[in-house]
Amino acid sequence: MVDGEEGNRRRMAVCTSCESAYAARIEADGTVQPIGARDGCRCGSTSFEIVGDEDDDRSADGV
């Protein structure tokens, strides 16, 4: 899903350390930014992976 004029896409992402799930934005530069967790995961990690096929428009928007 495209998010407004910025062209950011929203997807489900999981923390690579503890596997907590977050709604996330994929920035234009490819950076994954969890929505509502600006400082990263509650476990302290700042590394996230997109869940599922990034090109699949049926992915969850807003966990």
Side-chain angles (χ1 to χ4, degrees):
M1 170 178 237
V2 175
D3 183 22
E5 297 175 17
E6 299 171 10
N8 295 334
R9 297 168 301 195
R10 293 188 218 172
R11 294 286 185 260
M12 174 77 71
V14 294
C15 172
T16 58
S17 293
C18 72
E19 298 185 358
S20 291
Y22 291 88
R25 284 191 173 91
I26 305 170
E27 305 291 341
D29 65 358
T31 304
V32 178
Q33 177 65 47
I35 298 170
R38 189 169 293 271
D39 295 328
C41 182
R42 64 179 172 240
C43 77
S45 177
T46 57
S47 180
F48 298 88
E49 282 186 358
I50 299 301
V51 175
D53 185 359
E54 196 174 323
D55 294 328
D56 186 354
D57 285 334
R58 294 174 294 160
S59 295
D61 293 324
V63 178

Short mmCIF file of all heavy atoms in Angstrom, two decimals:
data_model
loop_
_atom_site.label_atom_id
_atom_site.label_comp_id
_atom_site.label_asym_id
_atom_site.label_seq_id
_atom_site.Cartn_x
_atom_site.Cartn_y
_atom_site.Cartn_z
N MET A 1 0.84 -1.18 0.00
CA MET A 1 0.00 0.00 0.00
C MET A 1 0.89 1.23 0.00
O MET A 1 1.85 1.32 0.73
CB MET A 1 -0.90 -0.03 1.24
CG MET A 1 -1.63 1.26 1.44
SD MET A 1 -2.72 1.18 2.87
CE MET A 1 -4.23 1.59 2.06
N VAL A 2 0.52 2.20 -0.80
CA VAL A 2 1.24 3.47 -0.84
C VAL A 2 0.61 4.40 0.18
O VAL A 2 -0.60 4.48 0.30
CB VAL A 2 1.20 4.10 -2.25
CG1 VAL A 2 1.84 5.45 -2.25
CG2 VAL A 2 1.90 3.19 -3.25
N ASP A 3 1.44 5.12 0.89
CA ASP A 3 0.99 5.98 1.98
C ASP A 3 1.13 7.43 1.59
O ASP A 3 2.18 8.03 1.74
CB ASP A 3 1.81 5.67 3.24
CG ASP A 3 1.37 6.46 4.44
OD1 ASP A 3 0.21 6.91 4.45
OD2 ASP A 3 2.17 6.62 5.36
N GLY A 4 0.06 8.02 1.06
CA GLY A 4 0.04 9.45 0.75
C GLY A 4 1.04 9.87 -0.31
O GLY A 4 1.51 9.09 -1.11
N GLU A 5 1.38 11.14 -0.30
CA GLU A 5 2.25 11.73 -1.30
C GLU A 5 3.70 11.32 -1.14
O GLU A 5 4.47 11.40 -2.07
CB GLU A 5 2.15 13.26 -1.24
CG GLU A 5 0.77 13.78 -1.57
CD GLU A 5 0.68 15.28 -1.39
OE1 GLU A 5 1.73 15.95 -1.32
OE2 GLU A 5 -0.44 15.79 -1.32
N GLU A 6 4.08 10.89 0.05
CA GLU A 6 5.48 10.56 0.32
C GLU A 6 5.91 9.30 -0.41
O GLU A 6 7.10 9.07 -0.60
CB GLU A 6 5.69 10.36 1.82
CG GLU A 6 5.38 11.60 2.61
CD GLU A 6 5.38 11.32 4.10
OE1 GLU A 6 5.81 10.22 4.51
OE2 GLU A 6 4.97 12.19 4.85
N GLY A 7 4.97 8.44 -0.81
CA GLY A 7 5.31 7.22 -1.50
C GLY A 7 5.79 6.12 -0.58
O GLY A 7 6.29 5.11 -1.02
N ASN A 8 5.64 6.30 0.73
CA ASN A 8 6.02 5.24 1.68
C ASN A 8 5.03 4.10 1.57
O ASN A 8 3.84 4.31 1.41
CB ASN A 8 6.03 5.78 3.11
CG ASN A 8 7.07 6.83 3.33
OD1 ASN A 8 8.08 6.87 2.64
ND2 ASN A 8 6.84 7.69 4.29
N ARG A 9 5.54 2.89 1.72
CA ARG A 9 4.67 1.71 1.71
C ARG A 9 4.56 1.19 3.13
O ARG A 9 5.50 1.25 3.89
CB ARG A 9 5.27 0.64 0.81
CG ARG A 9 5.35 1.10 -0.63
CD ARG A 9 6.18 0.17 -1.41
NE ARG A 9 7.51 0.14 -0.80
CZ ARG A 9 8.59 -0.35 -1.37
NH1 ARG A 9 8.51 -0.86 -2.55
NH2 ARG A 9 9.75 -0.34 -0.76
N ARG A 10 3.40 0.64 3.46
CA ARG A 10 3.18 0.06 4.78
C ARG A 10 3.12 -1.45 4.66
O ARG A 10 2.49 -1.97 3.75
CB ARG A 10 1.87 0.55 5.38
CG ARG A 10 1.88 2.01 5.71
CD ARG A 10 0.64 2.33 6.47
NE ARG A 10 0.15 3.63 6.06
CZ ARG A 10 -0.99 4.13 6.43
NH1 ARG A 10 -1.80 3.44 7.19
NH2 ARG A 10 -1.35 5.32 6.04
N ARG A 11 3.76 -2.12 5.58
CA ARG A 11 3.79 -3.57 5.61
C ARG A 11 3.90 -4.04 7.04
O ARG A 11 4.19 -3.27 7.95
CB ARG A 11 4.98 -4.13 4.83
CG ARG A 11 4.95 -3.87 3.35
CD ARG A 11 3.92 -4.79 2.70
NE ARG A 11 3.95 -4.66 1.26
CZ ARG A 11 3.10 -3.93 0.56
NH1 ARG A 11 2.17 -3.25 1.17
NH2 ARG A 11 3.17 -3.87 -0.73
N MET A 12 3.74 -5.32 7.24
CA MET A 12 4.00 -5.97 8.52
C MET A 12 5.49 -6.26 8.58
O MET A 12 6.08 -6.73 7.61
CB MET A 12 3.21 -7.28 8.61
CG MET A 12 3.52 -8.10 9.83
SD MET A 12 2.75 -7.47 11.29
CE MET A 12 1.06 -7.86 10.95
N ALA A 13 6.10 -5.97 9.74
CA ALA A 13 7.53 -6.25 9.92
C ALA A 13 7.71 -6.92 11.28
O ALA A 13 6.92 -6.72 12.19
CB ALA A 13 8.34 -4.96 9.86
N VAL A 14 8.76 -7.73 11.39
CA VAL A 14 9.08 -8.36 12.66
C VAL A 14 10.50 -7.98 13.07
O VAL A 14 11.38 -7.79 12.23
CB VAL A 14 8.95 -9.89 12.62
CG1 VAL A 14 7.51 -10.31 12.43
CG2 VAL A 14 9.83 -10.50 11.58
N CYS A 15 10.70 -7.88 14.36
CA CYS A 15 12.02 -7.62 14.93
C CYS A 15 12.90 -8.83 14.64
O CYS A 15 12.48 -9.97 14.84
CB CYS A 15 11.88 -7.38 16.43
SG CYS A 15 13.47 -7.27 17.28
N THR A 16 14.11 -8.60 14.19
CA THR A 16 15.01 -9.72 13.89
C THR A 16 15.58 -10.36 15.14
O THR A 16 16.11 -11.46 15.09
CB THR A 16 16.17 -9.28 12.97
OG1 THR A 16 16.89 -8.22 13.60
CG2 THR A 16 15.65 -8.83 11.62
N SER A 17 15.43 -9.71 16.31
CA SER A 17 15.93 -10.27 17.56
C SER A 17 14.87 -11.09 18.30
O SER A 17 15.12 -12.24 18.68
CB SER A 17 16.43 -9.17 18.49
OG SER A 17 17.58 -8.56 17.95
N CYS A 18 13.69 -10.51 18.52
CA CYS A 18 12.68 -11.19 19.34
C CYS A 18 11.43 -11.59 18.56
O CYS A 18 10.52 -12.19 19.12
CB CYS A 18 12.30 -10.32 20.53
SG CYS A 18 11.32 -8.87 20.10
N GLU A 19 11.36 -11.20 17.29
CA GLU A 19 10.25 -11.54 16.39
C GLU A 19 8.92 -10.88 16.77
O GLU A 19 7.87 -11.35 16.38
CB GLU A 19 10.10 -13.04 16.23
CG GLU A 19 11.33 -13.67 15.60
CD GLU A 19 11.16 -15.15 15.33
OE1 GLU A 19 10.09 -15.73 15.65
OE2 GLU A 19 12.10 -15.74 14.79
N SER A 20 8.96 -9.79 17.53
CA SER A 20 7.74 -9.02 17.79
C SER A 20 7.28 -8.40 16.48
O SER A 20 8.10 -7.94 15.68
CB SER A 20 8.01 -7.92 18.81
OG SER A 20 8.25 -8.46 20.08
N ALA A 21 5.97 -8.38 16.26
CA ALA A 21 5.41 -7.86 15.01
C ALA A 21 5.00 -6.40 15.17
O ALA A 21 4.49 -6.00 16.21
CB ALA A 21 4.22 -8.69 14.59
N TYR A 22 5.21 -5.64 14.12
CA TYR A 22 4.86 -4.21 14.08
C TYR A 22 4.31 -3.86 12.70
O TYR A 22 4.74 -4.41 11.70
CB TYR A 22 6.10 -3.33 14.29
CG TYR A 22 6.68 -3.39 15.67
CD1 TYR A 22 7.62 -4.35 16.01
CD2 TYR A 22 6.30 -2.46 16.64
CE1 TYR A 22 8.17 -4.40 17.28
CE2 TYR A 22 6.84 -2.50 17.91
CZ TYR A 22 7.78 -3.47 18.22
OH TYR A 22 8.32 -3.51 19.49
N ALA A 23 3.39 -2.92 12.67
CA ALA A 23 3.07 -2.26 11.42
C ALA A 23 4.27 -1.37 11.13
O ALA A 23 4.84 -0.77 12.03
CB ALA A 23 1.81 -1.41 11.56
N ALA A 24 4.68 -1.31 9.88
CA ALA A 24 5.89 -0.56 9.56
C ALA A 24 5.75 0.15 8.22
O ALA A 24 4.96 -0.24 7.37
CB ALA A 24 7.09 -1.49 9.52
N ARG A 25 6.53 1.20 8.08
CA ARG A 25 6.65 1.91 6.80
C ARG A 25 7.97 1.53 6.17
O ARG A 25 8.99 1.45 6.85
CB ARG A 25 6.63 3.42 7.02
CG ARG A 25 5.28 3.98 7.30
CD ARG A 25 5.32 5.51 7.22
NE ARG A 25 4.01 6.05 7.33
CZ ARG A 25 3.43 6.40 8.47
NH1 ARG A 25 4.06 6.27 9.60
NH2 ARG A 25 2.21 6.89 8.48
N ILE A 26 7.94 1.33 4.87
CA ILE A 26 9.17 1.14 4.12
C ILE A 26 9.44 2.48 3.45
O ILE A 26 8.70 2.92 2.58
CB ILE A 26 9.04 0.04 3.06
CG1 ILE A 26 8.58 -1.26 3.71
CG2 ILE A 26 10.37 -0.15 2.33
CD1 ILE A 26 8.20 -2.33 2.73
N GLU A 27 10.48 3.15 3.90
CA GLU A 27 10.84 4.46 3.37
C GLU A 27 11.36 4.34 1.94
O GLU A 27 11.69 3.24 1.48
CB GLU A 27 11.91 5.11 4.26
CG GLU A 27 11.54 5.22 5.72
CD GLU A 27 10.42 6.20 6.00
OE1 GLU A 27 10.15 7.08 5.16
OE2 GLU A 27 9.81 6.10 7.08
N ALA A 28 11.42 5.44 1.23
CA ALA A 28 11.88 5.46 -0.16
C ALA A 28 13.29 4.87 -0.31
O ALA A 28 13.60 4.27 -1.33
CB ALA A 28 11.84 6.89 -0.70
N ASP A 29 14.11 5.00 0.73
CA ASP A 29 15.47 4.47 0.66
C ASP A 29 15.55 2.99 1.08
O ASP A 29 16.61 2.42 1.17
CB ASP A 29 16.42 5.30 1.52
CG ASP A 29 16.12 5.25 3.01
OD1 ASP A 29 15.13 4.57 3.41
OD2 ASP A 29 16.86 5.88 3.78
N GLY A 30 14.37 2.37 1.38
CA GLY A 30 14.34 0.96 1.75
C GLY A 30 14.40 0.70 3.24
O GLY A 30 14.27 -0.43 3.68
N THR A 31 14.56 1.75 4.04
CA THR A 31 14.60 1.62 5.49
C THR A 31 13.24 1.19 6.01
O THR A 31 12.21 1.71 5.59
CB THR A 31 14.99 2.96 6.13
OG1 THR A 31 16.22 3.39 5.60
CG2 THR A 31 15.09 2.85 7.64
N VAL A 32 13.22 0.23 6.95
CA VAL A 32 11.99 -0.23 7.58
C VAL A 32 11.85 0.51 8.91
O VAL A 32 12.70 0.40 9.78
CB VAL A 32 12.01 -1.75 7.81
CG1 VAL A 32 10.74 -2.20 8.51
CG2 VAL A 32 12.19 -2.49 6.49
N GLN A 33 10.77 1.27 9.06
CA GLN A 33 10.52 2.06 10.27
C GLN A 33 9.22 1.60 10.90
O GLN A 33 8.15 1.80 10.33
CB GLN A 33 10.44 3.55 9.93
CG GLN A 33 10.11 4.43 11.11
CD GLN A 33 11.19 4.42 12.16
OE1 GLN A 33 12.36 4.55 11.85
NE2 GLN A 33 10.80 4.26 13.40
N PRO A 34 9.28 0.95 12.08
CA PRO A 34 8.03 0.53 12.72
C PRO A 34 7.18 1.74 13.10
O PRO A 34 7.70 2.74 13.58
CB PRO A 34 8.49 -0.23 13.97
CG PRO A 34 9.90 0.20 14.19
CD PRO A 34 10.44 0.63 12.88
N ILE A 35 5.88 1.64 12.85
CA ILE A 35 4.96 2.72 13.17
C ILE A 35 4.69 2.71 14.67
O ILE A 35 4.37 1.68 15.23
CB ILE A 35 3.65 2.55 12.38
CG1 ILE A 35 3.94 2.64 10.88
CG2 ILE A 35 2.60 3.58 12.81
CD1 ILE A 35 2.78 2.26 9.99
N GLY A 36 4.86 3.84 15.31
CA GLY A 36 4.62 3.96 16.73
C GLY A 36 5.76 3.46 17.61
O GLY A 36 5.62 3.39 18.82
N ALA A 37 6.87 3.10 17.00
CA ALA A 37 8.03 2.62 17.77
C ALA A 37 9.28 3.27 17.20
O ALA A 37 10.19 2.60 16.72
CB ALA A 37 8.11 1.09 17.71
N ARG A 38 9.30 4.58 17.25
CA ARG A 38 10.38 5.36 16.63
C ARG A 38 11.77 4.96 17.10
O ARG A 38 12.74 5.02 16.36
CB ARG A 38 10.14 6.85 16.89
CG ARG A 38 11.07 7.75 16.11
CD ARG A 38 10.62 9.19 16.20
NE ARG A 38 9.37 9.45 15.52
CZ ARG A 38 9.26 9.80 14.25
NH1 ARG A 38 10.32 9.90 13.51
NH2 ARG A 38 8.09 10.04 13.73
N ASP A 39 11.88 4.52 18.36
CA ASP A 39 13.19 4.13 18.91
C ASP A 39 13.52 2.67 18.67
O ASP A 39 14.54 2.18 19.17
CB ASP A 39 13.23 4.43 20.41
CG ASP A 39 13.14 5.92 20.69
OD1 ASP A 39 13.62 6.72 19.87
OD2 ASP A 39 12.57 6.28 21.73
N GLY A 40 12.68 1.96 17.97
CA GLY A 40 12.92 0.55 17.70
C GLY A 40 12.02 -0.34 18.53
O GLY A 40 11.06 0.09 19.14
N CYS A 41 12.36 -1.60 18.56
CA CYS A 41 11.57 -2.61 19.27
C CYS A 41 11.70 -2.45 20.77
O CYS A 41 12.69 -1.93 21.28
CB CYS A 41 12.06 -4.00 18.85
SG CYS A 41 11.13 -5.36 19.59
N ARG A 42 10.72 -3.00 21.48
CA ARG A 42 10.75 -2.94 22.95
C ARG A 42 11.92 -3.74 23.52
O ARG A 42 12.33 -3.52 24.65
CB ARG A 42 9.43 -3.41 23.53
CG ARG A 42 9.12 -4.86 23.22
CD ARG A 42 7.78 -5.27 23.84
NE ARG A 42 7.45 -6.59 23.38
CZ ARG A 42 6.38 -6.90 22.69
NH1 ARG A 42 5.50 -5.98 22.40
NH2 ARG A 42 6.16 -8.14 22.31
N CYS A 43 12.50 -4.67 22.74
CA CYS A 43 13.66 -5.44 23.20
C CYS A 43 14.96 -4.66 23.03
O CYS A 43 16.01 -5.09 23.48
CB CYS A 43 13.74 -6.79 22.49
SG CYS A 43 14.39 -6.71 20.80
N GLY A 44 14.87 -3.51 22.33
CA GLY A 44 16.05 -2.68 22.12
C GLY A 44 16.64 -2.77 20.71
O GLY A 44 17.47 -1.96 20.33
N SER A 45 16.20 -3.75 19.94
CA SER A 45 16.72 -3.91 18.58
C SER A 45 16.15 -2.83 17.66
O SER A 45 15.05 -2.33 17.86
CB SER A 45 16.33 -5.29 18.04
OG SER A 45 16.77 -5.44 16.71
N THR A 46 16.90 -2.51 16.63
CA THR A 46 16.43 -1.57 15.61
C THR A 46 16.44 -2.21 14.23
O THR A 46 16.37 -1.53 13.21
CB THR A 46 17.29 -0.29 15.60
OG1 THR A 46 18.65 -0.65 15.39
CG2 THR A 46 17.14 0.48 16.90
N SER A 47 16.52 -3.53 14.19
CA SER A 47 16.56 -4.26 12.93
C SER A 47 15.25 -5.01 12.73
O SER A 47 14.81 -5.76 13.60
CB SER A 47 17.74 -5.25 12.96
OG SER A 47 17.79 -5.98 11.76
N PHE A 48 14.63 -4.80 11.56
CA PHE A 48 13.34 -5.39 11.25
C PHE A 48 13.35 -6.01 9.87
O PHE A 48 14.05 -5.55 8.98
CB PHE A 48 12.24 -4.32 11.30
CG PHE A 48 12.10 -3.71 12.65
CD1 PHE A 48 12.86 -2.61 13.02
CD2 PHE A 48 11.23 -4.24 13.58
CE1 PHE A 48 12.76 -2.04 14.28
CE2 PHE A 48 11.11 -3.69 14.84
CZ PHE A 48 11.88 -2.59 15.19
N GLU A 49 12.54 -7.07 9.70
CA GLU A 49 12.35 -7.71 8.40
C GLU A 49 10.89 -7.61 8.01
O GLU A 49 10.00 -7.77 8.86
CB GLU A 49 12.72 -9.20 8.47
CG GLU A 49 14.18 -9.47 8.44
CD GLU A 49 14.47 -10.97 8.36
OE1 GLU A 49 13.51 -11.78 8.35
OE2 GLU A 49 15.64 -11.31 8.31
N ILE A 50 10.64 -7.40 6.73
CA ILE A 50 9.29 -7.36 6.20
C ILE A 50 8.74 -8.78 6.16
O ILE A 50 9.45 -9.71 5.79
CB ILE A 50 9.28 -6.76 4.78
CG1 ILE A 50 9.79 -5.32 4.81
CG2 ILE A 50 7.90 -6.83 4.15
CD1 ILE A 50 8.99 -4.41 5.70
N VAL A 51 7.49 -8.95 6.55
CA VAL A 51 6.83 -10.25 6.53
C VAL A 51 6.15 -10.44 5.19
O VAL A 51 5.44 -9.54 4.73
CB VAL A 51 5.78 -10.34 7.66
CG1 VAL A 51 5.00 -11.64 7.58
CG2 VAL A 51 6.44 -10.20 9.01
N GLY A 52 6.34 -11.59 4.58
CA GLY A 52 5.68 -11.91 3.33
C GLY A 52 6.32 -11.23 2.14
O GLY A 52 7.40 -10.66 2.21
N ASP A 53 5.60 -11.26 1.03
CA ASP A 53 6.06 -10.70 -0.23
C ASP A 53 5.82 -9.21 -0.24
O ASP A 53 4.69 -8.74 -0.16
CB ASP A 53 5.31 -11.36 -1.38
CG ASP A 53 5.79 -10.92 -2.75
OD1 ASP A 53 6.71 -10.09 -2.83
OD2 ASP A 53 5.26 -11.42 -3.75
N GLU A 54 6.87 -8.43 -0.33
CA GLU A 54 6.78 -6.97 -0.29
C GLU A 54 5.90 -6.41 -1.42
O GLU A 54 5.32 -5.35 -1.28
CB GLU A 54 8.18 -6.38 -0.39
CG GLU A 54 8.26 -4.95 0.02
CD GLU A 54 9.68 -4.44 0.05
OE1 GLU A 54 10.59 -5.17 0.42
OE2 GLU A 54 9.85 -3.28 -0.34
N ASP A 55 5.78 -7.12 -2.54
CA ASP A 55 4.99 -6.64 -3.67
C ASP A 55 3.53 -7.06 -3.57
O ASP A 55 2.72 -6.70 -4.41
CB ASP A 55 5.58 -7.16 -4.97
CG ASP A 55 6.94 -6.57 -5.24
OD1 ASP A 55 7.18 -5.40 -4.84
OD2 ASP A 55 7.77 -7.25 -5.84
N ASP A 56 3.17 -7.82 -2.54
CA ASP A 56 1.81 -8.31 -2.38
C ASP A 56 0.95 -7.25 -1.71
O ASP A 56 1.11 -6.95 -0.55
CB ASP A 56 1.83 -9.58 -1.52
CG ASP A 56 0.47 -10.24 -1.42
OD1 ASP A 56 -0.53 -9.67 -1.92
OD2 ASP A 56 0.40 -11.34 -0.85
N ASP A 57 0.02 -6.65 -2.45
CA ASP A 57 -0.83 -5.58 -1.92
C ASP A 57 -1.83 -6.08 -0.89
O ASP A 57 -2.50 -5.30 -0.25
CB ASP A 57 -1.59 -4.87 -3.05
CG ASP A 57 -0.70 -3.96 -3.85
OD1 ASP A 57 0.32 -3.50 -3.28
OD2 ASP A 57 -1.00 -3.71 -5.02
N ARG A 58 -1.92 -7.39 -0.69
CA ARG A 58 -2.84 -7.92 0.31
C ARG A 58 -2.21 -7.97 1.69
O ARG A 58 -2.85 -8.39 2.64
CB ARG A 58 -3.28 -9.34 -0.08
CG ARG A 58 -4.10 -9.34 -1.36
CD ARG A 58 -4.37 -10.73 -1.80
NE ARG A 58 -3.08 -11.34 -2.17
CZ ARG A 58 -2.86 -12.65 -2.26
NH1 ARG A 58 -3.81 -13.50 -1.98
NH2 ARG A 58 -1.69 -13.10 -2.60
N SER A 59 -0.96 -7.53 1.85
CA SER A 59 -0.30 -7.55 3.15
C SER A 59 -1.04 -6.65 4.13
O SER A 59 -1.68 -5.68 3.75
CB SER A 59 1.15 -7.05 3.02
OG SER A 59 1.89 -7.93 2.23
N ALA A 60 -0.89 -6.96 5.42
CA ALA A 60 -1.58 -6.20 6.47
C ALA A 60 -1.06 -4.78 6.54
O ALA A 60 0.12 -4.53 6.44
CB ALA A 60 -1.39 -6.90 7.81
N ASP A 61 -1.97 -3.86 6.75
CA ASP A 61 -1.63 -2.45 6.93
C ASP A 61 -2.07 -2.02 8.32
O ASP A 61 -3.23 -1.73 8.53
CB ASP A 61 -2.33 -1.57 5.90
CG ASP A 61 -1.84 -1.82 4.50
OD1 ASP A 61 -0.64 -2.09 4.34
OD2 ASP A 61 -2.68 -1.77 3.59
N GLY A 62 -1.17 -2.00 9.27
CA GLY A 62 -1.51 -1.50 10.60
C GLY A 62 -1.88 -2.59 11.56
O GLY A 62 -3.04 -2.81 11.84
N VAL A 63 -0.91 -3.24 12.07
CA VAL A 63 -1.10 -4.33 13.02
C VAL A 63 -1.81 -3.86 14.25
O VAL A 63 -1.52 -2.88 14.82
CB VAL A 63 0.26 -4.91 13.41
CG1 VAL A 63 0.10 -6.00 14.43
CG2 VAL A 63 0.99 -5.38 12.21
#
